[in-house]
Amino acid sequence: MPDRPLLPLWAAALCAAVGGAVLDLAFPSVGWWPLAFVGVALSLLSLMGRSAWGAFLVGGVFAASFWLIHIVWITRYLGVVPWFALAGVETVLSAAGAVLIALAYRWLPRVAPGPWGHLVALPALVAGLWTAREIFLGSWPYTGFPWARISVSQAESPLADLASWTGVSGLTFLMVFVVAAVVEWARWGRWREIRAALPAGLAAVALVAVPAFPTTDAGSMRVGAVQGNGPAAYFDEHEPWAVLDAQLAATTPLVGEDIDVLLWPEGGVDGDPLSNASVATVLDRLAVAVDAPLIVNAATTRGGSGYNTSMLWQSGADNPVAIHDKANPVPMGEYVPDRWFYEALAPDLIGLIQREYTPGTNAPFFEVNGIGVGLAICFDVIYDDVIWAGAADGAQVYMFQTNNADFRDTDENLQQLAVARMRAIETGRAVVNLSTVGTSQVIAPDGTTLDALPAGEPGAMLTRVPLRTGLTPAVVVGPWLKALLLWGSPVCLAVVGVVVRRRNTAIPGSADPGIARDVRR
């Protein structure tokens, strides 16, 4: 019976707790990518047949198990309070999304009880709702936190190529569809029927057999990328200009080399060159010394507002030639939304955060000697619209500037690197992912590593980076697919719920109490 829970509540909670921990193992640093399917399966099994409140409970257990492990690196920055706060928000929102998935398992079999309903429609609705929850968490509250999307766990797996066609959200949908379809195939005793395995089988073949969308070779450029390993963390004690001096020292091996552009990481300049003439002079001299344009980053102030700003700096020009401000400053890290409210709750903790960056509105794109460069500053790499905007503006290569010094020796930098790798595959373009302290890599359009620097050490790379043109389907249809999954999935569930309710009320004396029981039980 579809209405009967597959597992008793205690077993479902245990299954969910194990599933969350298993899902974390699919991501770096462990990176056992097949475990993503196991984690999703355990979550779905725990939700089958559950009431709304039961689903909220086991969905919360799954989410708490995952998030508390996955983002433990936050404790290195401000301690356990932000860790519990962020994990708590993600847990509550994820639990609410789990309720919708549980309702899909209860309602859709009443509307479509046949094989097509169980093996195609139900897995599609479940996958859509899972993906919609993922998209929603990446959008709200404030700018959301689109971290740990399950498709990103596949950045180094054979499945990653499909992201160039479907985008990250589309890959999540197909992964969950395969899991849900396999579970239904086994659950309903159809494992002996080959035809019944076709939906899951065809989706699985698509996951592993579809090659990456081919973008067009457009030559190459020689990129110098410098990881200074300076004291760039928010609470690092250091002398003035220590980060700038570390970057300059690590750049020395590149002086005299043939370079098309020199890239420094986020926060590589610990002074505002827009208001400090001495800092601007240092950058002018550096551009002359390396005989190439610079892409650097610093905290800047313009018009009374603070920004996290990347700048294109050229020798002999009225600098900066171009600027790009971070589009999504990190809440509680780079600014405090509703500061009056949070200071009332935790004045000492909130008082430590003095930065108030303003969201940027300029394009994440520079033109460097005729070559289009797409940009993303630190966590902006996890926002689809920033990446897609760079490609649409003509990016032939991406340069991601980040500062991971607050999370030294944790999994954070490797998790972010996985996102950068997936972006390379999704857009069919090379990525230069450069950190102040690591992990810094040059990633080819197919996701392989072209060059790298050891984490926690100063160093410089000089790499011939391939250029590409042409937009992948992920970039072209990605926004539409996300909107369809975000809004279409809950609408479909609502329609199914309405049909179930009408059928229940149309049969006088029906033994099925319907939707009200689904919510109460």
Side-chain angles (χ1 to χ4, degrees):
M1 289 289 295
D3 288 349
R4 181 177 300 171
L6 187 65
L7 300 171
L9 186 60
W10 68 267
L14 179 60
C15 184
V18 172
V22 167
L23 179 59
D24 173 72
L25 294 175
F27 291 84
S29 62
V30 177
W32 294 346
W33 59 265
L35 292 182
F37 294 89
V38 179
V40 171
L42 292 173
S43 175
L44 297 183
L45 290 172
S46 72
L47 293 173
M48 291 179 176
R50 301 248 79 85
S51 67
W53 287 112
F56 188 87
L57 173 63
V58 297
V61 170
F62 173 81
S65 173
F66 174 76
W67 284 106
L68 287 170
I69 298 172
H70 194 68
I71 60 171
V72 69
W73 40 263
I74 287 179
T75 59
R76 197 186 187 285
Y77 177 30
L78 287 176
V80 298
V81 174
W83 172 49
F84 276 117
L86 180 55
V89 169
E90 299 301 300
T91 293
V92 171
L93 295 177
S94 297
V99 173
L100 302 183
I101 295 173
L103 291 176
Y105 274 116
R106 296 180 68 84
W107 291 348
L108 198 142
R110 302 178 194 173
V111 175
W116 181 90
H118 282 292
L119 299 174
V120 179
L122 181 57
L125 182 56
V126 166
L129 291 169
W130 185 297
T131 309
R133 176 178 64 178
E134 199 174 80
I135 296 170
F136 181 79
L137 264 62
S139 309
W140 191 88
Y142 306 115
T143 53
F145 189 54
W147 195 267
R149 298 155 79 176
I150 63 167
S151 52
V152 174
S153 68
Q154 307 302 299
E156 296 190 75
S157 86
L159 282 60
D161 286 349
L162 191 59
S164 65
W165 296 86
T166 65
V168 175
S169 293
L171 180 54
T172 289
F173 173 86
L174 288 172
M175 290 174 64
V176 179
F177 178 88
V178 167
V179 174
V182 169
V183 168
E184 288 301 299
W185 178 51
R187 182 186 179 204
W188 291 93
R190 296 182 178 276
W191 51 272
R192 292 186 181 89
E193 300 179 25
I194 296 178
R195 286 187 303 172
L198 282 178
L202 291 174
V205 168
L207 283 176
V208 298
V210 175
F213 183 85
T215 47
T216 303
D217 185 2
S220 64
M221 71 184 308
R222 292 175 61 85
V223 180
V226 180
Q227 173 182 293
N229 199 45
Y234 192 56
F235 295 117
D236 278 349
E237 295 183 2
H238 57 81
E239 296 295 322
W241 321 122
V243 178
L244 177 59
D245 289 341
Q247 286 293 136
L248 289 169
T251 302
T252 301
L254 296 180
V255 175
E257 298 288 343
D258 182 13
I259 301 175
D260 293 320
V261 64
L262 177 66
L263 179 67
W264 276 12
E266 177 193 24
V269 180
D270 50 348
D272 183 355
L274 304 186
S275 60
N276 189 314
S278 297
V279 176
T281 298
V282 170
L283 296 179
D284 287 337
R285 291 173 178 171
L286 179 61
V288 172
V290 298
D291 192 25
L294 317 177
I295 297 179
V296 296
N297 175 279
T300 67
T301 301
R302 305 191 309 276
S305 298
Y307 299 90
N308 184 341
T309 305
S310 293
M311 291 161 277
L312 178 60
W313 209 275
Q314 293 181 348
S315 173
D318 183 13
N319 285 306
V321 174
I323 61 172
H324 165 64
D325 301 310
K326 188 174 185 180
N328 300 282
V330 179
M332 308 303 176
E334 294 180 316
Y335 79 108
V336 179
D338 303 317
R339 181 180 282 270
W340 63 272
F341 174 75
Y342 294 107
E343 279 189 337
L345 296 177
D348 293 339
L349 182 62
I350 298 301
L352 294 173
I353 307 171
Q354 294 302 311
R355 296 182 290 198
E356 286 291 337
Y357 289 152
T358 300
T361 57
N362 38 34
F365 176 85
F366 288 160
E367 184 174 319
V368 182
N369 293 334
I371 295 172
V373 176
L375 305 168
I377 303 171
C378 200
F379 278 14
D380 264 1
V381 71
I382 64 179
Y383 292 92
D384 294 336
D385 56 333
V386 174
I387 305 304
W388 294 338
D393 286 339
Q396 296 165 273
V397 62
Y398 283 98
M399 297 187 187
F400 299 157
Q401 298 163 288
T402 184
N403 177 12
N404 305 106
D406 287 315
F407 310 112
R408 285 179 186 263
D409 306 317
T410 72
D411 289 347
E412 184 274 340
N413 75 88
L414 297 177
Q415 292 173 11
Q416 186 174 334
L417 181 66
V419 179
R421 193 177 309 280
M422 185 60 82
R423 294 307 191 187
I425 298 168
E426 178 187 30
T427 62
R429 281 154 174 76
V431 165
V432 183
N433 187 79
L434 183 65
S435 170
T436 47
V437 299
T439 299
S440 299
Q441 289 190 1
V442 179
I443 304 167
D446 63 359
T448 57
T449 301
L450 297 176
D451 208 346
L453 292 170
E457 300 177 13
M461 298 180 285
L462 180 55
T463 314
R464 187 173 291 279
V465 180
L467 305 175
R468 294 288 188 271
T469 58
L471 298 180
T472 63
V475 173
V476 175
V477 305
W480 300 100
L481 181 59
K482 282 185 67 176
L484 176 63
L485 291 168
L486 175 62
W487 301 108
S489 301
V491 166
C492 287
L493 178 65
V495 170
V496 170
V498 169
V499 172
V500 169
R501 183 178 181 85
R502 287 183 174 178
R503 288 186 177 181
N504 291 337
T505 56
I507 305 176
S510 171
D512 185 355
I515 292 177
R517 181 192 62 186
D518 295 338
V519 175
R520 290 196 306 264
R521 198 174 78 180

